[in-house]
Amino acid sequence: MPPPVRRKLLASTWIVLALALVLSGTALAGNGGIAPVAPHSPNAGGIRDAYWLVLVITGAIFVLVEAALVLFVIRYRSAGRPREVEGPQIRGHGRLELIWTAIPILILAGIASFVFYKLNGIDTAPARAAGNHLKVRVEGRQFYWRFVYPNGAVAVNELRAPAGRVVDLDITAPANDVAHSWWVPSLGGKLDAIPGKMNHTWFEADKVGVYQGQCAEFCGAQHALMLSRVRVVPPAEFDAWVTRQLTAGASLGRQTFEGACGPCHGVNGQGLIGPPLQGNGTLANPKMLFVLLRNGRRAMPPVGRGWDERQLNALAAYVKKRFSSGG
Ligand code: CUA
């Protein structure tokens, strides 16, 4: 049997190797390995650049320090000296100490300057074309995202936005809700949606496409299902959509059901952490349904507090058609 010190060394080597394997698997899972997702807005580009700078510098320091450590362990090992005898004690080296104090200060100052330069304005939209900004109110709610456009149009979980135009986001949560965090990595950094407080961020998507997001603050049982999408479309298509949205009750009803009801009652109303919906009497009675949506009941949060009539009616029509026929 190897002596205790070597046994400990062997065990820790295995633990480190196992950890490295686990972590490398995680790092290489999807999303391009350790790289951030491809940026499609200037502020997301700044975050990506800062990420690479810090990774390269810290990576180089890691390699340097570990290499020096291994070198010193080999070069200055005890070589036959009994374990209980201490090695030679060396005190003080003015120039070396100055150097290893000054270099980290310079590195940190360099990183800080780069970050301040690159990420200046990460949460405030550029002033250019200020009159042409689209302003959207973003509400984080248990467990969905609600978007309100300047013309009063409402959308759930999927934010539609015009390409090449600055979109200003006013991010908040209702007073009776909890904190969430808005995060669409391709379009910028995280920003908390805090009850009663208004936070601001923006994006300017350079390309038509769908960008995935996820609530980034643990907000309750169905936090993991609190996904969001930003669908970037050509500006003319956006303008037509946002106008049409004011009268598109069926689409709003479906979106609201899938976003606000689905996470707890199942996307097919089959029941999940909330009861199944098929044949539920409340769904056929808009008055009772609205009271329930606005006030919640026991474990059910007041998902519909603050909705306008249009959204309430759209959901009522949708669930009535889908669940109250008993079919
Ligand atoms: Cu909302 Cu996590």
Side-chain angles (χ1 to χ4, degrees):
M1 197 186 250
V5 174
R6 199 171 298 167
R7 238 184 312 168
K8 260 189 211 155
L9 189 73
L10 262 174
S12 29
T13 311
W14 281 115
I15 291 170
V16 168
L17 280 176
L19 266 178
L21 271 177
V22 169
L23 292 178
S24 63
T26 315
L28 291 172
N31 79 358
I34 56 164
V37 295
H40 284 287
S41 173
N43 41 1
I47 291 173
R48 193 248 341 241
D49 295 347
Y51 171 90
W52 282 122
L53 178 83
V54 172
L55 186 71
V56 166
I57 292 178
T58 52
I61 292 172
F62 176 78
V63 170
L64 203 75
V65 169
E66 293 308 305
L69 180 69
V70 171
L71 201 76
F72 280 39
V73 164
I74 296 168
R75 174 78 182 75
Y76 299 105
R77 69 191 190 281
S78 60
R81 190 178 62 231
R83 270 187 209 295
E84 57 280 5
V85 178
E86 284 191 36
Q89 302 296 299
I90 303 160
R91 318 202 98 234
H93 191 300
R95 192 184 319 161
L96 252 182
E97 285 167 14
L98 268 176
I99 291 174
W100 76 48
T101 307
I103 291 179
I105 289 175
L106 288 177
I107 292 173
L108 290 178
I111 293 178
S113 318
F114 181 86
V115 168
F116 277 119
Y117 169 71
K118 269 287 176 186
L119 299 188
N120 186 19
I122 190 166
D123 57 355
T124 0
R128 74 192 138 78
N132 193 31
H133 290 191
L134 170 71
K135 209 175 182 57
V136 181
R137 180 186 162 94
V138 176
E139 285 173 14
R141 325 253 311 211
Q142 282 177 318
F143 297 95
Y144 66 98
W145 294 99
R146 180 173 185 260
F147 309 109
V148 185
Y149 294 85
N151 68 347
V154 169
V156 173
N157 282 355
E158 182 172 293
L159 171 67
R160 222 171 258 244
R165 194 171 151 198
V166 173
V167 182
D168 274 317
L169 301 176
D170 285 342
I171 299 178
T172 188
N176 58 312
D177 213 281
V178 301
H180 306 266
S181 181
W182 170 255
W183 190 35
V184 180
S186 299
L187 300 178
K190 291 174 192 166
L191 205 69
D192 280 0
I194 300 168
K197 183 173 162 39
M198 190 65 82
N199 281 331
H200 302 276
T201 188
W202 65 284
F203 65 84
E204 185 180 17
D206 60 8
K207 223 174 95 194
V208 165
V210 178
Y211 304 101
Q212 295 293 339
Q214 159 83 56
C215 176
E217 176 87 43
F218 181 67
C219 53
Q222 300 306 74
H223 154 74
L225 296 182
M226 201 170 156
L227 304 168
S228 58
R229 275 182 311 278
V230 176
R231 185 178 294 276
V232 175
V233 297
E237 189 181 324
F238 172 79
D239 292 340
W241 174 85
V242 82
T243 311
R244 206 166 58 234
Q245 210 47 23
L246 282 175
T247 50
S251 152
L252 181 59
R254 182 185 47 77
Q255 281 179 48
T256 302
F257 174 77
E258 287 172 359
C261 313
C264 295
H265 296 281
V267 277
N268 294 312
Q270 75 276 26
L272 207 57
I273 61 168
L277 298 177
Q278 195 58 257
N280 186 319
T282 309
L283 299 183
N285 181 335
K287 241 189 212 143
M288 274 168 65
L289 178 63
F290 294 170
V291 170
L292 175 64
L293 291 170
R294 285 197 181 111
N295 302 305
R297 183 163 59 201
R298 292 195 292 273
M300 175 168 158
V303 286
R305 190 167 290 176
W307 290 358
D308 55 14
E309 291 293 314
R310 220 161 38 81
Q311 192 170 11
L312 285 167
N313 289 331
L315 179 67
Y318 181 87
V319 293
K320 188 171 182 190
K321 194 167 156 205
R322 187 155 174 201
F323 295 110
S324 68
S325 58

